[in-house]
Amino acid sequence: MAASGLPPLPPPLKAIQHFLRTAQEVEKREPVVAYYCRLYAMQTGMKIDSKNPECRKFLCKLMDQLEAMKKQLGDNEAVTQEIVGCAHVENYALKMFLYADNEDRAGRFHKNMIKSFYTASLLIDVLTVFGELTDENIQHRKYARWKAAYIHNCLKNGETPQSGPIGLEGEFYDENEEVGSPALPSQDSQPSSTFDVPTSNVPTSNYTGIQIPPGAHAPANTPAEVPHSTGEIRLTPEDFAKAQKYCKYAGSALQYEDVSTAVQNLQKALKLLTTGNE
């Protein structure tokens, strides 16, 4: 599933280049994530400019590439069922975020963790192909992008970044600025020297603002007590669909051996089924 065959990216479609690069980087180990990154890029490109001949040619080639990928992944549930695909991409984004967040809180500042923060933010963007983002995802996308820019700016200026949330306010940077392609981290990989992050409007001192607590996605290891229902609970078709979604999310998390996220989603499903409330 090589990314070759696409013509040069037309200047009007510059905004989608990061998603195409991310797709190319992950396609061997995460073809499903690569597929949805390209799908997001195509949908976004169509909204930007589908009339310009150069743009139309590029988007048609990208569409052909997507069709080829879909055939190769035809027996993959994450491609045939959106709810599973959404869980797969979301859990991969979570994996990237938690890696970077753990490195940050441990005071290990390096290019791989900056790339991981930024990649997580891009993958949360990709989740919009499945519908509106949750408030939690919006919050984490904002935090990840800001952290990537803040730490990069500190390292570039020879300063020591402050670990963990230090508060933020206002706009962080212009998302239309040039950003280098973030490579995904591995424990033994060497940081790329080409990565760059836009740093305009990045706070350099403490502010009051949103706070991301440690392990924001992960509940305690001991499951919370299951609430007992009082009386007969009338569940709607939407409730059953939501419960099924949480179970799918849990199954996807277990593929990454992410027990805490699996437990969290199973708890949500159980609470919904026993109380009728989320």
Side-chain angles (χ1 to χ4, degrees), residues 35 65-76 79:
Y35 172 79
Q65 190 178 75
L66 277 167
E67 286 299 319
M69 291 186 73
K70 192 171 184 179
K71 287 181 180 179
Q72 293 184 45
L73 297 170
D75 58 347
N76 193 311
V79 173

Side-chain angles (χ1 to χ4, degrees), residues 118 145 148-150 152-153 172-180 196-200 202:
Y118 191 69
R145 283 184 178 164
Y150 164 72
H152 178 270
N153 192 52
F172 307 138
Y173 57 85
D174 182 359
E175 295 181 15
N176 293 319
E177 289 188 25
E178 175 67 20
V179 184
D196 195 16
V197 178
T199 55
S200 61
V202 176

Side-chain angles (χ1 to χ4, degrees), residues 7-218:
L9 183 69
L13 300 181
K14 182 180 178 182
I16 68 173
Q17 66 179 338
H18 316 307
F19 301 94
L20 295 175
R21 287 175 182 171
T22 299
Q24 188 172 0
E25 289 167 357
V26 305
E27 63 184 346
K28 289 184 179 179
R29 56 184 175 273
E30 282 292 336
V32 170
V33 175
Y35 172 79
Y36 284 112
C37 283
R38 289 182 176 130
L39 179 61
Y40 175 85
M42 188 194 71
Q43 292 179 352
T44 303
M46 293 290 288
K47 294 175 183 176
I48 294 173
D49 193 341
S50 61
K51 295 182 179 180
N52 178 288
E54 189 180 11
C55 293
R56 186 184 303 170
K57 179 182 177 181
F58 181 90
L59 292 171
C60 285
K61 289 288 186 180
L62 180 57
M63 194 177 300
D64 291 341
Q65 190 178 75
L66 277 167
E67 286 299 319
M69 291 186 73
K70 192 171 184 179
K71 287 181 180 179
Q72 293 184 45
L73 297 170
D75 58 347
N76 193 311
E77 195 178 32
V79 173
T80 59
Q81 297 186 36
E82 282 196 356
I83 194 170
V84 182
C86 181
H88 190 96
V89 176
E90 186 171 26
N91 278 302
Y92 196 66
L94 171 60
K95 185 180 179 182
M96 294 291 99
F97 182 93
L98 291 180
Y99 166 84
D101 192 49
N102 289 335
E103 290 293 283
D104 175 38
R105 293 174 189 276
R108 295 188 291 265
F109 305 109
H110 49 84
K111 288 181 182 284
N112 272 346
M113 61 93 73
I114 297 173
K115 295 172 187 178
S116 192
F117 264 134
Y118 191 69
T119 299
S121 75
L122 293 179
L123 294 179
I124 294 174
D125 279 333
V126 171
L127 289 175
T128 59
V129 303
F130 305 104
E132 293 185 5
L133 296 177
T134 64
D135 290 341
E136 182 182 34
N137 280 334
I138 292 172
Q139 191 86 330
H140 283 84
R141 177 179 63 181
K142 188 177 184 181
Y143 181 80
R145 283 184 178 164
W146 171 77
K147 260 296 182 176
Y150 164 72
I151 296 172
H152 178 270
N153 192 52
C154 287
L155 296 182
K156 184 179 180 180
N157 295 329
E159 302 171 358
T160 301
Q162 183 171 335
S163 297
I166 62 175
L168 18 144
E169 65 177 16
E171 295 301 321
F172 307 138
Y173 57 85
D174 182 359
E175 295 181 15
N176 293 319
E177 289 188 25
E178 175 67 20
V179 184
S181 176
L184 294 178
S186 63
Q187 297 299 326
D188 56 356
S189 63
Q190 294 298 319
S192 168
S193 60
T194 59
F195 179 68
D196 195 16
V197 178
T199 55
S200 61
N201 299 324
V202 176
T204 55
S205 60
N206 292 1
Y207 290 88
T208 56
I210 68 168
Q211 297 291 313
I212 306 294
H217 295 78

